[in-house]
């Protein structure tokens, strides 16, 4: 059986043991017994460290009780990519809003929430406040954006995301087939949203691009023309993410040990 890699050594015993366990789990979901055999550590030590890492969100468990990488690691690894998405979105959203007259937003999924990370809206709401400010979050349990953000996730993530949702696995399959979703805008009640995925440099869904407005305004726009405008904008964002990925960030250079 393959033993754990020893590429990362700090010289601090407990950290090196934790790193060994993370390296094993990074390769595949791993039961406790296999963590013990592959790490060469005692079972009590493996159990103590693995449970501590689980409490910190650095490890988690799948539906079979095996250890998997935890949500905090996923958040940290993609945060720079999401920042690039928000930065790239400003001119793209402005152009999309100018073309359609609709509110244009980028949203991403954080756990069971959908969060607005960039927006270009037509103006304040009836109470004078910004319609959907950046940072606003709502449960990802209904609406077009929630469908797009969940449809391309891994099966286990989809299974978890469907708990309490107002849509089904069949609805998600339909979104994957056609590549878009239309439905209520939970960020702005009463509005209708049209949403498509934005892919990153690894062809994973980094977020959802949506346009939304009152039903009368949405219905007045030719469907094919609107879809083409939104898909063009999503393609521009995907290209921007790929270009940004090709240029190492300061974080990437530091991790590689280059100035």
């Amino acid at each position: 059986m393959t033993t754990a890699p020893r590429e990362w050594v700090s010289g601090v015993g407990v950290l090196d043991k934790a790193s060994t366990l993370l390296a094993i789990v990074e390769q595949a979901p791993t039961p406790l017994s296999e963590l013990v055999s592959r790490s060469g550590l005692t079972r009590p030590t493996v159990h103590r460290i693995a449970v501590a890492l689980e409490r910190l969100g650095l490890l988690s468990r799948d539906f079979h009780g095996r250890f998997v990488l935890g949500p905090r690691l996923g958040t940290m690894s993609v945060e720079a990519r999401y920042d690039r998405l928000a930065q790239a979105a400003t001119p793209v959203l402005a152009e999309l809003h100018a073309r359609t007259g609709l509110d244009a937003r980028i949203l991403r999924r954080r756990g069971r929430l959908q969060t607005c990370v960039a927006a270009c809206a037509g103006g304040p709401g009836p109470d004078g406040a910004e319609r959907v400010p950046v940072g606003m979050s709502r449960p990802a349990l209904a609406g077009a954006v929630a469908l797009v953000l969940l449809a391309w996730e891994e099966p286990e993530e989809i299974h978890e995301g469907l708990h309490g949702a107002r849509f089904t696995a069949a609805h998600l399959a339909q979104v994957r087939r056609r590549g878009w979703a239309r439905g209520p805008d939970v960020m702005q009640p009463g509005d209708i949203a049209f949403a498509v995925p934005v892919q990153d440099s690894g062809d994973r869904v980094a977020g959802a691009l949506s346009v939304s407005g009152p039903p009368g305004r949405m219905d007045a726009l030719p469907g094919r023309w609107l879809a083409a405008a939104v898909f063009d904008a999503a393609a521009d964002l995907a290209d921007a993410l790929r270009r940004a990925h090709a240029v190492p960030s300061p974080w990437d250079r530091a991790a590689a040990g280059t100035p």
Side-chain angles (χ1 to χ4, degrees):
M1 181 175 292
T2 305
T3 57
R6 301 285 182 179
E7 298 177 8
W8 305 96
V9 178
S10 70
V12 179
V14 69
L15 292 181
D16 287 339
K17 292 172 183 175
S19 178
T20 295
L21 300 185
L22 288 169
I24 295 171
V25 173
E26 183 181 9
Q27 298 174 35
T30 312
L32 179 63
S33 59
E34 188 175 336
L35 278 179
V36 172
S37 63
R38 293 185 59 188
S39 68
L41 302 173
T42 65
R43 186 181 182 90
T45 297
V46 170
H47 182 267
R48 174 172 55 84
I49 295 176
V51 169
L53 291 172
E54 186 178 12
R55 288 172 181 161
L56 292 172
L58 301 176
L59 285 180
S60 185
R61 312 262 188 134
D62 66 12
F63 293 107
H64 302 289
R66 299 173 299 184
F67 286 99
V68 295
L69 294 179
R72 284 185 66 190
L73 287 173
T75 299
M76 289 185 284
S77 69
V78 301
E79 198 62 37
R81 179 184 70 202
Y82 284 146
D83 288 345
R84 288 168 176 164
L85 175 59
Q87 292 167 10
T90 300
V92 175
L93 294 182
E95 182 179 354
L96 184 59
H97 169 66
R99 288 183 67 184
T100 65
L102 302 171
D103 293 352
R105 301 186 202 105
I106 294 291
L107 302 99
R108 68 174 184 252
R109 188 168 175 264
R110 284 177 167 168
R112 296 179 66 80
L113 296 176
Q114 52 181 300
T115 301
C116 177
V117 298
C120 183
D127 58 359
E130 189 175 355
R131 285 170 58 84
V132 179
V134 171
M136 181 177 182
S137 296
R138 290 290 184 269
L141 299 175
V145 169
L147 283 162
V148 166
L149 290 175
L150 188 60
W152 284 271
E153 289 286 359
E154 296 297 324
E156 290 183 353
E157 191 72 19
I158 289 176
H159 180 80
E160 180 66 24
L162 285 173
H163 287 306
R166 298 177 188 172
F167 47 78
T168 67
H171 292 123
L172 295 176
Q174 184 181 48
V175 170
R176 285 193 299 272
R177 284 195 301 270
R178 64 190 184 188
W180 55 268
R182 180 185 171 107
D185 181 0
V186 299
M187 301 298 242
Q188 187 67 38
D191 281 6
I192 300 297
F194 179 88
V196 303
V198 177
Q199 294 181 315
D200 65 12
S201 57
D203 291 331
R204 291 179 56 86
V205 174
L209 169 62
S210 82
V211 291
S212 63
R217 188 186 306 171
M218 291 288 289
D219 292 340
L221 296 173
R224 290 188 177 182
W225 177 86
L226 178 61
V230 180
F231 276 112
D232 286 347
D236 289 343
L237 283 169
D239 288 342
L241 287 179
R242 293 185 179 98
R243 290 194 299 270
H245 182 78
V247 179
S249 68
W251 180 296
D252 297 328
R253 292 195 295 270
T258 57

